């Protein structure tokens, strides 16, 4: 993909589309795009940030696609009936999926690091990107979340980094099967659990992915990932785990509300103390995977440990929005059983009720993960906590509504869970703000909806007004 080409992104504001458009623009390509959210006036700051990079934005009505010389890029969520796709067909423009374009860029890099797994991909990608950047390796980084280390007032949506070096770091998505397109030098596998696909499908996708890598870094504390690791030759795998024998092992964890420290052992060497400025046991696992990846490309352990201490985290990953009236508001990407479990376990390590607004990220995922999602929530909600579910994200298109938020709430009520179904999200948020008292933590959870961060900020403002 040369910088002289012209690209048009349909759905350019998506979490997987925006950083890819930013990388191409940073490499000198002509980039334009459209987005339904732009037409609806949602999250205007995001689109202003794209325009500030020289990216032209158009209504999603087909008017921006006028030449067969344009390469039209669309995510799997874009239907063929969308006017831009109709226009692309009419003018004879080349069409690529997001994954086809990203995997082409990724596979052409001299040294590629692909981060896979059901949970933790974005954080591990951000950790690797920050370590390599701070160690002057000039990586290009493709992430699905804003990396706080690279965000600036003039560039607040820093989900990508364009570097001059030979390393390309990217999270790799299994939800649409496109992980099969990537040929990583280093493959990272965090974990394997239900989200979009069955475990049988995931085992094949993740197993093939790590099998194509020169070296695979695998969290063997996860049983499914450990089973896949066994299929690889010892010389082509690096194992990581907490409190378990592995090539990189973490032990003696000490947690704080927004930080964690641990001892890191590599082989028989004397352990070194690692300090993270992100909280929770799950982030220790993420750090092990990230350190393993940079060790696999020859970064000294001492340098990696020093660098990761400067990692500030990601937006919407246990992101403290603020505190008002003695109530903290946290914005979090938790949307599947494992992610939700990690966040709730981290929060329950410290005192205070949890008031949780969880907006499911679609009707399809609810159907796939209904039972494990209910188990994860029912096992972690405590007396005094309150979970409120509004209706799932819906931004147009055809969708089967076989399992709804109301169904999840009914399942949880049958298990004795402190939970309510309030269909309208604004009403759900207002109910939690009204219920909050000093010492509580309000948590906004969900994916695929950029306005959740705005909602969290509005809830904080509501608490401040009430106080």
């Amino acid at each position: 993909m040369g910088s002289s080409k012209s690209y048009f992104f349909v759905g350019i504001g998506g979490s997987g589309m925006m950083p890819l458009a930013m990388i191409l623009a940073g490499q000198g390509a002509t980039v334009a795009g459209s987005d339904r959210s732009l037409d609806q006036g949602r999250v205007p700051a995001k689109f202003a940030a794209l325009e500030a990079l020289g990216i032209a934005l158009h209504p999603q009505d087909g008017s921006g696609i006028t030449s067969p010389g344009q390469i039209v890029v669309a995510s799997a969520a874009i239907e063929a009936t969308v006017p831009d796709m109709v226009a692309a067909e009419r003018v004879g423009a080349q069409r690529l999926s997001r994954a086809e374009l990203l995997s082409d860029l990724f596979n052409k890099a001299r040294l590629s690091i692909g981060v896979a797994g059901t949970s933790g991909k974005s954080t591990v990608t951000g950790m690797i990107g920050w370590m390599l950047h701070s160690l002057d390796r000039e990586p290009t980084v493709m992430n699905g979340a804003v990396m706080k280390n690279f965000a600036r007032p003039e560039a607040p949506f820093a989900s990508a980094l364009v570097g001059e070096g030979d390393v390309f770091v990217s999270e790799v998505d299994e939800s649409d099967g496109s992980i099969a397109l990537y040929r990583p030098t280093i493959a990272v596998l965090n974990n394997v659990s239900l989200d979009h696909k069955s475990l049988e499908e995931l085992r094949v996708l993740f197993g093939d992915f790590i099998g194509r890598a020169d070296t695979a870094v695998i969290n063997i504390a996860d049983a499914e990932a450990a089973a896949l690791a066994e299929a690889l030759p010892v010389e082509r795998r690096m194992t990581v785990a907490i409190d378990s024998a592995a090539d990189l092992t973490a032990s003696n964890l000490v947690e704080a509300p927004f930080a964690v420290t641990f001892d890191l052992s590599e082989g028989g060497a004397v352990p070194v103390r690692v300090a993270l400025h992100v909280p929770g046991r799950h982030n220790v696992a993420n750090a092990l995977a990230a350190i393993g990846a940079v060790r696999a490309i020859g970064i000294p352990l001492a340098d990696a440990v020093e660098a990761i201490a400067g990692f500030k985290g990601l937006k919407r990953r246990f992101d403290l929005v603020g505190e008002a009236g003695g109530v903290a508001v946290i914005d979090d990407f938790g949307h599947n059983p494992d992610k939700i479990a990690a966040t709730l376990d981290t929060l329950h390590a410290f005192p205070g009720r949890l008031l949780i607004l969880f907006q499911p990220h679609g009707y399809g995922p609810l159907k796939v993960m209904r039972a494990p999602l209910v188990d994860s929530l029912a096992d972690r909600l405590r007396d005094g906590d309150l979970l409120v579910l509004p209706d799932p994200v819906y931004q147009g298109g055809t969708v089967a509504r076989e399992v709804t938020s109301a169904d999840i709430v009914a399942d949880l009520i049958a298990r004795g869970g402190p939970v309510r179904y309030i269909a309208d999200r604004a009403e759900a948020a207002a109910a939690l703000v009204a219920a909050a008292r000093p010492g509580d933590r309000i948590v906004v959870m969900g994916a695929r909806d950029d306005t959740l961060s705005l909602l969290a900020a509005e809830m904080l403002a509501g608490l401040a007004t009430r106080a």
Side-chain angles (χ1 to χ4, degrees), residues 17-40:
M17 295 283 274
M18 184 173 178
L20 183 52
M22 294 164 68
I23 287 171
L24 286 170
Q27 293 177 344
T30 299
V31 181
S34 67
D35 198 282
R36 182 161 44 202
S37 293
L38 173 67
D39 295 345
Q40 296 169 348

Side-chain angles (χ1 to χ4, degrees), residues 149-408:
N149 287 90
F150 304 119
R152 308 181 306 279
E154 67 274 17
F157 295 91
S159 53
L161 182 68
V162 181
E164 299 295 330
D166 58 0
V167 186
F168 196 117
V169 185
S170 180
E171 63 172 286
V172 177
D173 188 17
E174 81 286 348
S175 65
D176 59 359
S178 63
I179 189 173
L181 299 174
Y182 297 83
R183 300 188 301 275
T185 310
I186 310 297
V188 177
L189 179 58
N190 291 337
N191 41 58
V192 182
S193 61
L194 285 173
D195 192 341
H196 299 272
K197 292 186 177 295
S198 70
L199 277 176
E200 290 73 19
E201 292 175 291
L202 292 173
R203 288 168 186 146
V204 172
L205 289 170
F206 288 134
D208 289 348
F209 174 70
I210 62 176
R212 291 190 295 272
D214 293 348
T215 302
V217 180
I218 304 169
N219 175 17
I220 59 170
D222 179 88
E224 290 284 346
L228 294 176
E230 288 297 318
L232 293 178
V234 174
E235 66 272 13
R236 289 182 49 217
R237 72 187 187 212
M238 178 186 296
T239 58
V240 304
I242 300 174
D243 292 330
S244 181
D247 296 317
L248 288 173
T249 301
S251 60
N252 300 322
L253 279 63
V254 177
E255 296 190 52
F258 290 93
V260 60
T261 59
F262 62 95
D263 286 338
L264 174 61
S265 303
E266 184 178 43
V270 176
V272 295
R273 196 69 180 164
V274 180
L276 300 179
H277 289 98
V278 288
R281 186 180 179 91
H282 62 293
N283 273 319
V284 174
N286 289 336
L288 286 174
I291 292 170
V294 301
R295 290 290 291 126
I297 64 170
I299 299 295
L301 181 63
D303 290 348
V305 168
E306 182 179 0
I308 203 167
F311 178 66
K312 297 179 181 178
L314 307 178
K315 291 286 188 181
R316 302 220 62 236
R317 274 35 171 207
F318 209 96
D319 192 7
L320 178 63
V321 181
E323 185 173 336
V327 179
V329 178
I330 295 166
D331 186 21
D332 190 72
F333 192 66
H335 62 278
N336 64 35
D338 283 357
K339 289 184 172 74
I340 289 170
T343 296
L344 298 189
D345 287 346
T346 300
L347 285 163
H348 272 315
F350 300 93
R353 291 195 310 164
L354 301 185
L355 306 182
I356 306 159
L357 187 151
F358 170 46
Q359 177 181 265
H361 61 298
Y363 291 93
L366 269 191
K367 180 181 178 182
V368 171
M369 64 183 184
R370 178 176 184 171
L373 176 64
V374 170
D375 286 343
S376 182
L377 289 166
D379 290 346
R380 288 169 176 82
L381 292 171
R382 298 181 178 176
D383 290 342
D385 290 346
L386 175 60
L387 169 66
V388 177
L389 273 75
D391 285 333
V393 175
Y394 175 69
Q395 295 174 348
T398 56
V399 62
R401 305 187 182 199
E402 298 176 51
V403 177
T404 68
S405 294
D407 294 321
I408 302 300

